Amino acid sequence: LPPPVEKKTSVYVGKIPEGLGDDSIKGLLEKCGAVVSWKRVEDVETKKPKGFGFCEYEQADSVMRALRLLNAFKIGQHNELLLKVDSKTQAYLDDYVLRRIHALKKPTVGGTPPIDDEKAGQILKKTQDEEDEKVVSEIQELMGGLKDSGQLAEIERVNAPPA
């Protein structure tokens, strides 16, 4: 049987602070993987961007990385992004992880003995952690650019809680 076809997966991105432009938010999302589409919801009357949108990723790994790294990600002192998926997507992601673990357990051509679920899970987690580490440094670089340009200070000013 051929492996199941990779399903495109969407993630809700909320609590986007006022003043954070679409290019910046899309840049953050793209650090986690290939983005098929990014749609920020606009106010029907004013056409101003609202504080949420939907990102569709090409691969399940990218959605899982975005959920791990960008959910509760702080933008400035007062703003944390909110990323979540619906139950159908979560079920797909859970199944995807099980398929990845199952694939790791198969004996290799060299006759390497098969490994158990726990060991396969550890290998998968180690791979994710290594990839996440690289992405975290890229995200920090992007945030440094926002700080240097003054955009982060403006986001802080606009979103500061009332005194």
Side-chain angles (χ1 to χ4, degrees), residues 23-80:
D23 288 347
S24 299
I25 190 74
K26 189 175 181 195
L28 270 176
L29 294 165
E30 286 174 335
K31 296 295 180 198
C32 295
V35 170
V36 175
S37 69
W38 161 244
K39 290 184 180 84
R40 187 160 178 183
V41 177
E42 287 183 347
D43 185 286
V44 180
E45 293 172 18
T46 65
K47 299 291 182 215
K48 282 180 70 175
K50 290 192 171 197
F52 68 97
F54 298 89
C55 181
E56 187 179 356
Y57 281 102
E58 208 169 272
Q59 298 183 322
D61 284 319
S62 304
V63 174
M64 293 187 303
R65 183 170 299 111
L67 290 168
R68 283 193 307 271
L69 300 182
L70 297 179
N71 185 41
F73 181 77
K74 274 190 172 285
I75 296 180
Q77 295 175 6
H78 308 290
N79 303 285
E80 281 188 6

Short mmCIF file of all heavy atoms in Angstrom, two decimals, residues 23-80:
data_model
loop_
_atom_site.label_atom_id
_atom_site.label_comp_id
_atom_site.label_asym_id
_atom_site.label_seq_id
_atom_site.Cartn_x
_atom_site.Cartn_y
_atom_site.Cartn_z
N ASP A 23 2.55 40.73 6.48
CA ASP A 23 3.86 40.21 6.07
C ASP A 23 4.62 39.64 7.26
O ASP A 23 5.26 38.60 7.16
CB ASP A 23 4.71 41.31 5.41
CG ASP A 23 4.18 41.69 4.04
OD1 ASP A 23 3.32 40.95 3.49
OD2 ASP A 23 4.60 42.74 3.51
N SER A 24 4.51 40.31 8.39
CA SER A 24 5.21 39.85 9.60
C SER A 24 4.62 38.56 10.12
O SER A 24 5.36 37.62 10.47
CB SER A 24 5.16 40.92 10.69
OG SER A 24 5.81 42.09 10.24
N ILE A 25 3.29 38.49 10.20
CA ILE A 25 2.66 37.27 10.73
C ILE A 25 2.90 36.11 9.76
O ILE A 25 3.21 35.00 10.18
CB ILE A 25 1.15 37.46 11.07
CG1 ILE A 25 0.60 36.25 11.84
CG2 ILE A 25 0.31 37.69 9.86
CD1 ILE A 25 1.02 36.16 13.26
N LYS A 26 2.80 36.38 8.47
CA LYS A 26 3.06 35.32 7.48
C LYS A 26 4.52 34.87 7.57
O LYS A 26 4.82 33.69 7.46
CB LYS A 26 2.70 35.77 6.07
CG LYS A 26 2.75 34.62 5.08
CD LYS A 26 2.30 35.00 3.70
CE LYS A 26 2.36 33.77 2.79
NZ LYS A 26 2.28 34.08 1.40
N GLY A 27 5.42 35.82 7.78
CA GLY A 27 6.83 35.49 7.95
C GLY A 27 7.05 34.54 9.12
O GLY A 27 7.81 33.57 9.02
N LEU A 28 6.37 34.81 10.24
CA LEU A 28 6.46 33.93 11.41
C LEU A 28 5.94 32.53 11.06
O LEU A 28 6.57 31.53 11.38
CB LEU A 28 5.60 34.48 12.55
CG LEU A 28 6.23 35.43 13.53
CD1 LEU A 28 5.19 35.94 14.52
CD2 LEU A 28 7.38 34.78 14.28
N LEU A 29 4.78 32.49 10.43
CA LEU A 29 4.15 31.21 10.08
C LEU A 29 5.03 30.41 9.11
O LEU A 29 5.15 29.20 9.23
CB LEU A 29 2.76 31.44 9.48
CG LEU A 29 1.73 32.03 10.46
CD1 LEU A 29 0.52 32.57 9.71
CD2 LEU A 29 1.32 31.01 11.50
N GLU A 30 5.65 31.10 8.16
CA GLU A 30 6.49 30.43 7.16
C GLU A 30 7.76 29.82 7.78
O GLU A 30 8.33 28.90 7.21
CB GLU A 30 6.87 31.39 6.04
CG GLU A 30 5.71 31.67 5.10
CD GLU A 30 6.02 32.73 4.05
OE1 GLU A 30 6.90 33.59 4.31
OE2 GLU A 30 5.35 32.71 3.00
N LYS A 31 8.18 30.33 8.93
CA LYS A 31 9.35 29.75 9.60
C LYS A 31 9.06 28.30 10.00
O LYS A 31 9.97 27.49 10.13
CB LYS A 31 9.76 30.56 10.83
CG LYS A 31 10.23 31.96 10.54
CD LYS A 31 11.48 31.98 9.73
CE LYS A 31 11.95 33.39 9.42
NZ LYS A 31 12.89 33.43 8.33
N CYS A 32 7.77 27.98 10.20
CA CYS A 32 7.39 26.63 10.65
C CYS A 32 7.21 25.66 9.49
O CYS A 32 7.11 24.45 9.71
CB CYS A 32 6.12 26.70 11.48
SG CYS A 32 6.37 27.61 13.01
N GLY A 33 7.13 26.16 8.26
CA GLY A 33 6.97 25.28 7.12
C GLY A 33 6.31 25.98 5.94
O GLY A 33 5.93 27.14 6.03
N ALA A 34 6.16 25.23 4.84
CA ALA A 34 5.59 25.80 3.62
C ALA A 34 4.11 26.14 3.80
O ALA A 34 3.30 25.27 4.12
CB ALA A 34 5.77 24.82 2.47
N VAL A 35 3.79 27.42 3.59
CA VAL A 35 2.42 27.91 3.73
C VAL A 35 1.74 27.86 2.36
O VAL A 35 2.26 28.41 1.40
CB VAL A 35 2.41 29.35 4.29
CG1 VAL A 35 1.03 29.97 4.22
CG2 VAL A 35 2.94 29.37 5.72
N VAL A 36 0.60 27.19 2.30
CA VAL A 36 -0.19 27.15 1.07
C VAL A 36 -0.98 28.44 0.95
O VAL A 36 -1.04 29.06 -0.10
CB VAL A 36 -1.15 25.93 1.07
CG1 VAL A 36 -2.06 25.95 -0.15
CG2 VAL A 36 -0.36 24.63 1.12
N SER A 37 -1.59 28.86 2.07
CA SER A 37 -2.32 30.13 2.06
C SER A 37 -2.40 30.71 3.46
O SER A 37 -2.40 29.99 4.45
CB SER A 37 -3.74 29.94 1.50
OG SER A 37 -4.53 29.18 2.39
N TRP A 38 -2.46 32.03 3.51
CA TRP A 38 -2.66 32.77 4.77
C TRP A 38 -3.77 33.77 4.51
O TRP A 38 -3.66 34.60 3.59
CB TRP A 38 -1.38 33.48 5.21
CG TRP A 38 -1.63 34.59 6.19
CD1 TRP A 38 -1.40 35.92 6.00
CD2 TRP A 38 -2.19 34.47 7.51
NE1 TRP A 38 -1.77 36.63 7.10
CE2 TRP A 38 -2.27 35.77 8.05
CE3 TRP A 38 -2.66 33.41 8.27
CZ2 TRP A 38 -2.78 36.04 9.32
CZ3 TRP A 38 -3.17 33.67 9.53
CH2 TRP A 38 -3.21 34.97 10.05
N LYS A 39 -4.84 33.68 5.28
CA LYS A 39 -5.96 34.60 5.12
C LYS A 39 -6.28 35.23 6.47
O LYS A 39 -6.75 34.55 7.38
CB LYS A 39 -7.20 33.85 4.60
CG LYS A 39 -7.06 33.39 3.16
CD LYS A 39 -8.36 32.75 2.67
CE LYS A 39 -8.23 32.28 1.24
NZ LYS A 39 -7.64 30.97 1.08
N ARG A 40 -6.00 36.51 6.56
CA ARG A 40 -6.37 37.24 7.77
C ARG A 40 -7.76 37.81 7.55
O ARG A 40 -8.05 38.38 6.50
CB ARG A 40 -5.38 38.37 8.02
CG ARG A 40 -5.60 39.06 9.35
CD ARG A 40 -4.35 39.77 9.75
NE ARG A 40 -4.47 40.51 10.97
CZ ARG A 40 -3.50 41.26 11.46
NH1 ARG A 40 -2.36 41.35 10.81
NH2 ARG A 40 -3.66 41.90 12.59
N VAL A 41 -8.61 37.64 8.52
CA VAL A 41 -9.99 38.10 8.40
C VAL A 41 -10.04 39.62 8.52
O VAL A 41 -9.35 40.21 9.35
CB VAL A 41 -10.88 37.41 9.47
CG1 VAL A 41 -12.30 37.92 9.41
CG2 VAL A 41 -10.84 35.90 9.28
N GLU A 42 -10.83 40.24 7.65
CA GLU A 42 -10.99 41.70 7.65
C GLU A 42 -12.37 42.08 8.13
O GLU A 42 -13.34 41.36 7.91
CB GLU A 42 -10.82 42.26 6.23
CG GLU A 42 -9.43 42.26 5.70
CD GLU A 42 -9.34 42.89 4.32
OE1 GLU A 42 -10.39 43.10 3.66
OE2 GLU A 42 -8.21 43.17 3.88
N ASP A 43 -12.47 43.25 8.74
CA ASP A 43 -13.77 43.81 9.11
C ASP A 43 -14.50 44.16 7.81
O ASP A 43 -13.93 44.80 6.93
CB ASP A 43 -13.56 45.06 9.96
CG ASP A 43 -14.87 45.63 10.47
OD1 ASP A 43 -15.60 46.24 9.65
OD2 ASP A 43 -15.17 45.46 11.67
N VAL A 44 -15.76 43.73 7.71
CA VAL A 44 -16.53 43.92 6.48
C VAL A 44 -16.68 45.40 6.13
O VAL A 44 -16.53 45.79 4.98
CB VAL A 44 -17.94 43.27 6.62
CG1 VAL A 44 -18.74 43.45 5.36
CG2 VAL A 44 -17.80 41.79 6.94
N GLU A 45 -16.93 46.23 7.14
CA GLU A 45 -17.18 47.65 6.88
C GLU A 45 -15.91 48.47 6.71
O GLU A 45 -15.77 49.22 5.75
CB GLU A 45 -18.04 48.24 7.99
CG GLU A 45 -19.45 47.68 7.99
CD GLU A 45 -20.27 48.10 9.20
OE1 GLU A 45 -19.89 49.08 9.89
OE2 GLU A 45 -21.27 47.43 9.47
N THR A 46 -14.97 48.31 7.64
CA THR A 46 -13.77 49.17 7.61
C THR A 46 -12.63 48.59 6.77
O THR A 46 -11.69 49.30 6.45
CB THR A 46 -13.23 49.38 9.04
OG1 THR A 46 -12.77 48.12 9.54
CG2 THR A 46 -14.28 49.97 9.96
N LYS A 47 -12.71 47.30 6.46
CA LYS A 47 -11.65 46.59 5.72
C LYS A 47 -10.35 46.50 6.51
O LYS A 47 -9.31 46.11 5.98
CB LYS A 47 -11.37 47.23 4.33
CG LYS A 47 -12.56 47.23 3.41
CD LYS A 47 -12.90 45.84 2.95
CE LYS A 47 -14.07 45.84 1.99
NZ LYS A 47 -14.93 44.69 2.14
N LYS A 48 -10.40 46.86 7.81
CA LYS A 48 -9.22 46.75 8.66
C LYS A 48 -9.04 45.28 9.05
O LYS A 48 -10.01 44.58 9.29
CB LYS A 48 -9.38 47.59 9.93
CG LYS A 48 -9.14 49.08 9.70
CD LYS A 48 -9.29 49.87 10.97
CE LYS A 48 -8.16 49.56 11.92
NZ LYS A 48 -8.17 50.40 13.13
N PRO A 49 -7.77 44.83 9.12
CA PRO A 49 -7.55 43.43 9.52
C PRO A 49 -7.98 43.20 10.97
O PRO A 49 -7.73 44.02 11.84
CB PRO A 49 -6.05 43.24 9.34
CG PRO A 49 -5.46 44.59 9.30
CD PRO A 49 -6.53 45.55 8.88
N LYS A 50 -8.65 42.06 11.17
CA LYS A 50 -9.02 41.67 12.54
C LYS A 50 -7.84 40.94 13.17
O LYS A 50 -6.82 40.73 12.53
CB LYS A 50 -10.25 40.77 12.49
CG LYS A 50 -11.52 41.52 12.10
CD LYS A 50 -12.73 40.66 12.36
CE LYS A 50 -14.00 41.49 12.17
NZ LYS A 50 -15.14 40.85 12.77
N GLY A 51 -8.01 40.55 14.40
CA GLY A 51 -6.93 39.92 15.16
C GLY A 51 -6.82 38.42 14.97
O GLY A 51 -6.27 37.73 15.82
N PHE A 52 -7.35 37.90 13.86
CA PHE A 52 -7.23 36.46 13.63
C PHE A 52 -7.27 36.13 12.15
O PHE A 52 -7.66 36.96 11.32
CB PHE A 52 -8.32 35.67 14.38
CG PHE A 52 -9.72 35.89 13.85
CD1 PHE A 52 -10.28 34.99 12.95
CD2 PHE A 52 -10.47 36.98 14.26
CE1 PHE A 52 -11.56 35.19 12.47
CE2 PHE A 52 -11.76 37.19 13.78
CZ PHE A 52 -12.30 36.28 12.88
N GLY A 53 -6.86 34.91 11.84
CA GLY A 53 -6.87 34.44 10.46
C GLY A 53 -6.62 32.94 10.42
O GLY A 53 -6.58 32.28 11.47
N PHE A 54 -6.45 32.43 9.22
CA PHE A 54 -6.28 31.00 9.03
C PHE A 54 -5.09 30.73 8.12
O PHE A 54 -4.96 31.35 7.07
CB PHE A 54 -7.55 30.38 8.43
CG PHE A 54 -8.73 30.55 9.34
CD1 PHE A 54 -9.54 31.68 9.25
CD2 PHE A 54 -9.02 29.61 10.31
CE1 PHE A 54 -10.61 31.87 10.10
CE2 PHE A 54 -10.10 29.78 11.18
CZ PHE A 54 -10.90 30.91 11.07
N CYS A 55 -4.24 29.82 8.56
CA CYS A 55 -3.06 29.46 7.79
C CYS A 55 -3.19 28.00 7.36
O CYS A 55 -3.45 27.13 8.20
CB CYS A 55 -1.81 29.63 8.65
SG CYS A 55 -0.29 29.23 7.77
N GLU A 56 -3.01 27.78 6.08
CA GLU A 56 -3.03 26.41 5.57
C GLU A 56 -1.60 26.02 5.23
O GLU A 56 -0.91 26.72 4.49
CB GLU A 56 -3.91 26.30 4.33
CG GLU A 56 -4.11 24.89 3.86
CD GLU A 56 -5.02 24.78 2.65
OE1 GLU A 56 -5.58 25.80 2.21
OE2 GLU A 56 -5.14 23.66 2.13
N TYR A 57 -1.16 24.93 5.83
CA TYR A 57 0.19 24.42 5.60
C TYR A 57 0.16 23.26 4.62
O TYR A 57 -0.83 22.54 4.52
CB TYR A 57 0.82 23.93 6.91
CG TYR A 57 1.36 25.04 7.78
CD1 TYR A 57 0.66 25.50 8.88
CD2 TYR A 57 2.59 25.63 7.50
CE1 TYR A 57 1.16 26.51 9.68
CE2 TYR A 57 3.10 26.65 8.30
CZ TYR A 57 2.38 27.07 9.38
OH TYR A 57 2.88 28.07 10.18
N GLU A 58 1.28 23.07 3.95
CA GLU A 58 1.41 21.98 3.01
C GLU A 58 1.55 20.63 3.72
O GLU A 58 1.08 19.62 3.23
CB GLU A 58 2.66 22.23 2.15
CG GLU A 58 2.60 21.63 0.78
CD GLU A 58 3.73 22.15 -0.09
OE1 GLU A 58 3.56 23.19 -0.73
OE2 GLU A 58 4.79 21.48 -0.10
N GLN A 59 2.20 20.62 4.89
CA GLN A 59 2.49 19.37 5.58
C GLN A 59 2.07 19.39 7.04
O GLN A 59 2.12 20.44 7.69
CB GLN A 59 3.99 19.07 5.50
CG GLN A 59 4.49 18.88 4.09
CD GLN A 59 5.97 18.52 4.07
OE1 GLN A 59 6.74 19.03 4.86
NE2 GLN A 59 6.34 17.64 3.16
N ALA A 60 1.70 18.22 7.52
CA ALA A 60 1.28 18.07 8.92
C ALA A 60 2.41 18.48 9.88
O ALA A 60 2.15 19.10 10.92
CB ALA A 60 0.85 16.63 9.19
N ASP A 61 3.65 18.14 9.54
CA ASP A 61 4.78 18.51 10.41
C ASP A 61 4.83 20.01 10.65
O ASP A 61 5.17 20.45 11.75
CB ASP A 61 6.12 18.05 9.79
CG ASP A 61 6.34 16.56 9.93
OD1 ASP A 61 6.03 16.02 11.01
OD2 ASP A 61 6.82 15.94 8.97
N SER A 62 4.51 20.79 9.63
CA SER A 62 4.54 22.25 9.75
C SER A 62 3.46 22.74 10.72
O SER A 62 3.72 23.63 11.53
CB SER A 62 4.33 22.90 8.38
OG SER A 62 5.29 22.43 7.47
N VAL A 63 2.27 22.16 10.64
CA VAL A 63 1.19 22.53 11.57
C VAL A 63 1.60 22.21 12.99
O VAL A 63 1.45 23.03 13.90
CB VAL A 63 -0.13 21.80 11.23
CG1 VAL A 63 -1.19 22.09 12.28
CG2 VAL A 63 -0.63 22.19 9.86
N MET A 64 2.14 21.02 13.18
CA MET A 64 2.54 20.62 14.54
C MET A 64 3.65 21.53 15.07
O MET A 64 3.64 21.90 16.24
CB MET A 64 2.96 19.15 14.55
CG MET A 64 1.78 18.22 14.26
SD MET A 64 2.08 16.45 14.45
CE MET A 64 3.43 16.17 13.34
N ARG A 65 4.57 21.92 14.20
CA ARG A 65 5.65 22.83 14.61
C ARG A 65 5.07 24.20 14.98
O ARG A 65 5.44 24.79 15.99
CB ARG A 65 6.70 22.97 13.51
CG ARG A 65 7.88 23.87 13.93
CD ARG A 65 9.02 23.83 12.94
NE ARG A 65 9.54 22.47 12.86
CZ ARG A 65 9.42 21.69 11.79
NH1 ARG A 65 8.86 22.11 10.69
NH2 ARG A 65 9.90 20.46 11.80
N ALA A 66 4.14 24.70 14.17
CA ALA A 66 3.51 25.99 14.47
C ALA A 66 2.78 25.93 15.81
O ALA A 66 2.89 26.86 16.63
CB ALA A 66 2.55 26.39 13.35
N LEU A 67 2.07 24.84 16.05
CA LEU A 67 1.36 24.69 17.33
C LEU A 67 2.34 24.65 18.50
O LEU A 67 2.11 25.26 19.54
CB LEU A 67 0.49 23.42 17.33
CG LEU A 67 -0.73 23.45 16.42
CD1 LEU A 67 -1.34 22.06 16.29
CD2 LEU A 67 -1.78 24.44 16.94
N ARG A 68 3.46 23.95 18.31
CA ARG A 68 4.47 23.86 19.39
C ARG A 68 5.16 25.18 19.65
O ARG A 68 5.40 25.57 20.80
CB ARG A 68 5.53 22.81 19.05
CG ARG A 68 5.12 21.38 19.22
CD ARG A 68 6.31 20.42 19.15
NE ARG A 68 7.15 20.57 17.98
CZ ARG A 68 6.97 19.94 16.82
NH1 ARG A 68 5.97 19.10 16.67
NH2 ARG A 68 7.81 20.13 15.82
N LEU A 69 5.52 25.90 18.57
CA LEU A 69 6.39 27.07 18.72
C LEU A 69 5.66 28.41 18.78
O LEU A 69 6.17 29.35 19.37
CB LEU A 69 7.43 27.10 17.59
CG LEU A 69 8.36 25.90 17.47
CD1 LEU A 69 9.34 26.10 16.34
CD2 LEU A 69 9.08 25.64 18.78
N LEU A 70 4.51 28.50 18.12
CA LEU A 70 3.86 29.82 18.02
C LEU A 70 2.62 29.97 18.90
O LEU A 70 2.19 31.10 19.14
CB LEU A 70 3.49 30.13 16.56
CG LEU A 70 4.69 30.24 15.60
CD1 LEU A 70 4.20 30.52 14.18
CD2 LEU A 70 5.67 31.31 16.05
N ASN A 71 2.05 28.87 19.39
CA ASN A 71 0.94 29.02 20.32
C ASN A 71 1.50 29.58 21.62
O ASN A 71 2.47 29.06 22.15
CB ASN A 71 0.22 27.69 20.57
CG ASN A 71 -1.00 27.86 21.44
OD1 ASN A 71 -1.76 28.81 21.28
ND2 ASN A 71 -1.19 26.95 22.37
N ALA A 72 0.91 30.67 22.10
CA ALA A 72 1.37 31.39 23.31
C ALA A 72 2.70 32.11 23.07
O ALA A 72 3.36 32.53 24.02
CB ALA A 72 1.46 30.47 24.52
N PHE A 73 3.09 32.28 21.80
CA PHE A 73 4.32 33.01 21.47
C PHE A 73 4.11 34.49 21.78
O PHE A 73 3.14 35.09 21.36
CB PHE A 73 4.67 32.82 19.99
CG PHE A 73 5.94 33.52 19.58
CD1 PHE A 73 7.17 33.00 19.91
CD2 PHE A 73 5.88 34.72 18.87
CE1 PHE A 73 8.34 33.65 19.53
CE2 PHE A 73 7.04 35.38 18.50
CZ PHE A 73 8.28 34.84 18.83
N LYS A 74 5.04 35.05 22.55
CA LYS A 74 4.92 36.45 22.96
C LYS A 74 5.40 37.39 21.87
O LYS A 74 6.49 37.23 21.33
CB LYS A 74 5.73 36.71 24.23
CG LYS A 74 4.99 36.41 25.50
CD LYS A 74 5.80 36.92 26.68
CE LYS A 74 5.07 36.85 27.97
NZ LYS A 74 4.05 37.80 28.22
N ILE A 75 4.55 38.36 21.56
CA ILE A 75 4.94 39.45 20.66
C ILE A 75 4.90 40.69 21.52
O ILE A 75 3.83 41.20 21.85
CB ILE A 75 3.99 39.54 19.46
CG1 ILE A 75 4.11 38.26 18.64
CG2 ILE A 75 4.33 40.77 18.60
CD1 ILE A 75 3.26 38.18 17.43
N GLY A 76 6.07 41.14 21.94
CA GLY A 76 6.13 42.24 22.90
C GLY A 76 5.80 41.72 24.29
O GLY A 76 5.85 40.53 24.55
N GLN A 77 5.44 42.65 25.17
CA GLN A 77 5.21 42.27 26.57
C GLN A 77 3.78 41.82 26.85
O GLN A 77 3.54 41.07 27.78
CB GLN A 77 5.52 43.46 27.48
CG GLN A 77 6.97 43.88 27.46
CD GLN A 77 7.19 45.15 28.27
OE1 GLN A 77 6.29 45.64 28.93
NE2 GLN A 77 8.40 45.68 28.21
N HIS A 78 2.83 42.27 26.04
CA HIS A 78 1.42 42.08 26.40
C HIS A 78 0.63 41.17 25.47
O HIS A 78 -0.56 40.99 25.66
CB HIS A 78 0.71 43.44 26.47
CG HIS A 78 1.43 44.43 27.33
ND1 HIS A 78 1.50 44.32 28.70
CD2 HIS A 78 2.15 45.53 27.01
CE1 HIS A 78 2.21 45.32 29.18
NE2 HIS A 78 2.62 46.07 28.18
N ASN A 79 1.26 40.63 24.44
CA ASN A 79 0.51 39.88 23.44
C ASN A 79 1.06 38.48 23.24
O ASN A 79 2.25 38.31 23.01
CB ASN A 79 0.57 40.62 22.09
CG ASN A 79 0.03 42.03 22.20
OD1 ASN A 79 -1.16 42.23 22.29
ND2 ASN A 79 0.93 43.00 22.23
N GLU A 80 0.16 37.50 23.32
CA GLU A 80 0.53 36.10 23.05
C GLU A 80 -0.38 35.59 21.95
O GLU A 80 -1.60 35.67 22.06
CB GLU A 80 0.32 35.24 24.29
CG GLU A 80 1.41 35.35 25.31
CD GLU A 80 1.27 34.32 26.44
OE1 GLU A 80 0.39 33.45 26.37
OE2 GLU A 80 2.05 34.42 27.39
#
